[in-house]
């Protein structure tokens, strides 16, 4: 149980670092919006974050 939580946290941090390094502050903002929308169960917020992330990925 603890090992899976540590692996999950490490993967999440690595993914966030990769997105922020490649797409800058806008990438970090999109991940924040996705995370906040999921925690608050707000589909509008998470959808905006997902669309922003997809737009960033298509421009690169």
């Amino acid at each position: 149980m603890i090992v899976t939580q540590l692996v999950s946290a490490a993967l999440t941090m690595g993914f966030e670092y990769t997105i922020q390094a490649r797409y800058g502050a806008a990438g970090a903002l999109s991940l924040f919006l996705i995370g906040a929308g999921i925690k608050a169960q707000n589909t509008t917020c998470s959808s905006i974050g997902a669309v922003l992330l997809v737009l960033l990925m298509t421009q690169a």
Side-chain angles (χ1 to χ4, degrees):
M1 183 80 164
I2 293 174
V3 174
T4 57
Q5 289 175 346
L6 287 174
V7 170
S8 175
L11 288 174
T12 302
M13 289 177 61
F15 181 70
E16 287 179 5
Y17 178 75
T18 303
I19 294 295
Q20 188 173 10
R22 183 163 179 152
Y23 301 112
L29 176 65
S30 66
L31 287 178
F32 172 75
L33 287 171
I34 292 170
I38 290 171
K39 282 199 182 253
Q41 296 180 350
N42 186 344
T43 57
T44 304
C45 187
S46 59
S47 296
I48 290 171
V51 167
L52 179 61
L53 187 60
V54 168
L55 286 174
L56 287 171
M57 288 181 174
T58 57
Q59 288 181 351

